[in-house]
Amino acid sequence: MTDEERRWADPHATTAVRKFLRRHRRAVETVLTAARLDGLDELADAAAEYAANPAGPVTPEGAAVVFAIAQRAAIAYRTGPQREQEFIDRFIDSWTNEHGYAFAAAVAETRQGLRIEEPEPRAGRMTPWLRATTPGEEPEPAAETLNLRVRARLGAQPSSPGGDTPHAPADPKSVTTDQIRRLEAAMVDGRRWRSAAHRRLVLEDPALGQLARRLVWASFDGRGTVTGTFRIDAEGGLRAVDDRPVELPRETLVGVAHPLHLAESLAAWRNSFAGNRLRQPFEQLDRRTYILTSAEAEADRLSRFTDRQVRTDRVFGLQQLGWELSGELLYRRFGPFREVAVTLDPGLAGGYRYEPELQRVLAVELRGGTFGSFDAVTASELIRQLERLAA
């Protein structure tokens, strides 16, 4: 089974991991400093490289060390098994997105051989410290938790020595809500699958298959050009807008169609879904789209939002879509070199309950280029998110 044929991961996971590591940078540096004093320079260097750039050319050993430190640092912020699982899943999703299934499995295996020990003042250790487990020593519970979660997420069925599954099945309603969010993110972010992987991961998945039948899908060539659109019928077959069967080669790229991908066929698809009484899980065919003006495409600022008032609760709501908050700035990265920054007045002081009800947008700026460098879907979704913020 290839990496692509495994269950796909949250596309925003690496952004969340970066944010977490920035918040706990000092904790990571403290443990790595102690590790170097203990002669673990190679592990410390690998961990420092991962902490600096989780998406870069890193090793499973470096990722495992940083994750072990992060687990300890996050204890005070977790409030139960569900939050702990979400924390672990963000790292697993990031590893899978950036480096593949084999990397995630290697991190889990390496983690089992590591321990983060508490300070030992009598032994001269005033800070948490890293060590490798000794032969025959049992992995610490936190390491085993990661191992079980990786196996559960990426294919193997973890079981206890008695053969029982150690975790109760997830609530179907929660799973469906999560998968709806991920399918919409796949449309917005341009997630693509090979046709064979799409059938295995989406069509044959009990939860995703039901959702997928209520969406329009598109096939793409290697340059990102739409080559066809289709829906999925009750038997799992692919149907064009005129209900003709569609056959896709195994290597064809497939993704959730955005309304801008459908062009002249959009009205026909709306009629098809209405005729088949298919209710969509999120706004797709009726999704409002936006186009940059020629002046906006050539500029690094979106003046249409200047001086508009926005509700503070909606500012916080954009965090679910990959945006980050810092004082008077609301920002989101688009690739390694571009970042959209929204300057707010009066800005954010440190917590929702302490903020004013309204903010004023002073500027929306693209750092690293002009807005015309965005593809049509990215530009439309960016404006849509900001319009909903300012509604």
Side-chain angles (χ1 to χ4, degrees):
M1 186 181 297
T2 65
D3 290 353
E4 191 172 13
E5 290 173 325
R6 303 280 177 174
R7 172 171 288 185
W8 100 88
D10 184 347
H12 303 304
T14 303
T15 299
V17 167
R18 283 197 181 100
K19 184 176 180 181
F20 180 88
L21 294 180
R22 284 198 298 269
R23 185 186 307 139
H24 296 287
R25 178 175 57 85
R26 184 169 297 178
V28 173
E29 291 176 348
T30 296
V31 176
L32 296 188
T33 297
R36 289 191 172 93
L37 293 174
D38 288 336
L40 302 176
D41 297 87
E42 194 170 323
L43 270 181
D45 289 344
E49 289 178 1
Y50 176 82
N53 184 13
V58 296
T59 66
E61 291 76 17
V65 171
V66 172
F67 179 79
I69 301 170
Q71 273 188 305
R72 182 186 182 280
I75 289 174
Y77 296 89
R78 296 201 297 267
T79 57
Q82 183 176 351
R83 290 294 300 277
E84 181 176 12
Q85 182 172 300
E86 290 172 358
F87 164 80
I88 294 174
D89 280 351
R90 284 195 183 98
F91 277 87
I92 296 173
D93 287 351
S94 176
W95 298 331
T96 306
N97 281 337
E98 309 299 342
H99 309 291
Y101 163 75
F103 183 94
V107 174
E109 182 177 358
T110 303
R111 173 69 182 94
Q112 293 209 91
L114 301 172
R115 298 185 78 94
I116 302 295
E117 300 288 10
E118 295 299 319
E120 296 181 23
R122 292 184 179 180
R125 294 186 177 275
M126 308 306 294
T127 63
W129 53 288
L130 170 73
R131 73 170 178 87
T133 58
T134 58
E137 183 179 5
E138 291 292 325
E140 63 181 358
E144 190 59 25
T145 298
L146 172 64
N147 185 49
L148 290 170
R149 189 62 186 155
V150 166
R151 291 167 60 193
R153 285 291 311 279
L154 303 181
Q157 292 297 323
S159 58
S160 64
D164 297 325
T165 302
H167 300 294
D171 180 356
K173 292 182 180 179
S174 300
V175 172
T176 301
T177 300
D178 180 62
Q179 301 301 356
I180 289 173
R181 179 179 61 83
R182 293 190 177 191
L183 282 174
E184 184 172 19
M187 179 187 74
V188 171
D189 298 332
R191 166 72 182 179
R192 305 284 184 261
W193 297 264
R194 297 291 178 184
S195 177
H198 176 255
R199 178 162 292 279
R200 175 178 178 80
L201 287 170
V202 180
L203 274 63
E204 296 177 0
D205 183 278
L208 286 176
Q210 294 298 320
L211 297 173
R213 289 173 175 81
R214 293 151 53 192
L215 295 169
V216 179
W217 296 81
S219 56
F220 301 83
D221 63 19
R223 295 169 296 182
T225 303
V226 177
T227 58
T229 58
F230 59 91
R231 67 175 178 89
I232 303 164
D233 64 24
E235 288 72 40
L238 312 185
R239 298 282 177 177
V241 69
D242 59 5
D243 223 33
R244 289 184 296 108
V246 173
E247 295 292 335
L248 295 179
R250 289 177 57 85
E251 295 303 307
T252 300
L253 292 172
V254 174
V256 182
H258 189 275
L260 292 175
H261 294 142
L262 301 178
E264 295 83 5
S265 67
L266 179 58
W269 274 117
R270 285 173 176 166
N271 291 334
S272 172
F273 270 56
N276 287 288
R277 297 183 179 180
L278 293 172
R279 183 177 180 182
Q280 297 203 290
F282 58 82
E283 284 186 322
Q284 183 193 31
L285 295 176
D286 293 322
R287 195 181 195 87
R288 186 169 181 178
T289 58
Y290 300 85
I291 300 175
L292 293 167
T293 66
S294 57
E296 288 173 333
E298 296 173 359
D300 60 1
R301 291 190 172 227
L302 282 180
S303 58
R304 70 172 76 184
F305 294 104
T306 302
D307 286 331
R308 292 176 67 173
Q309 283 193 326
V310 300
R311 284 170 40 186
T312 298
D313 59 343
R314 291 184 177 176
V315 173
F316 281 96
L318 282 185
Q319 289 180 299
Q320 299 180 4
L321 300 177
W323 292 80
E324 296 187 49
L325 304 174
S326 177
E328 76 281 1
L329 287 181
L330 171 68
Y331 61 95
R332 182 182 176 186
R333 296 195 63 82
F334 290 83
F337 306 113
R338 295 180 299 182
E339 178 181 86
V340 173
V342 180
T343 305
L344 303 170
D345 178 43
L348 306 169
Y352 175 71
R353 68 179 63 184
Y354 306 109
E355 310 299 348
E357 292 185 3
L358 295 175
Q359 303 277 341
R360 184 166 64 95
V361 176
L362 299 182
V364 176
E365 179 184 6
L366 174 60
R367 300 167 178 174
T370 62
F371 283 99
S373 63
F374 286 147
D375 63 78
V377 171
T378 300
S380 178
E381 289 299 318
L382 170 64
I383 296 173
R384 180 177 184 270
Q385 290 175 10
L386 295 178
E387 286 287 357
R388 289 167 69 90
L389 172 68

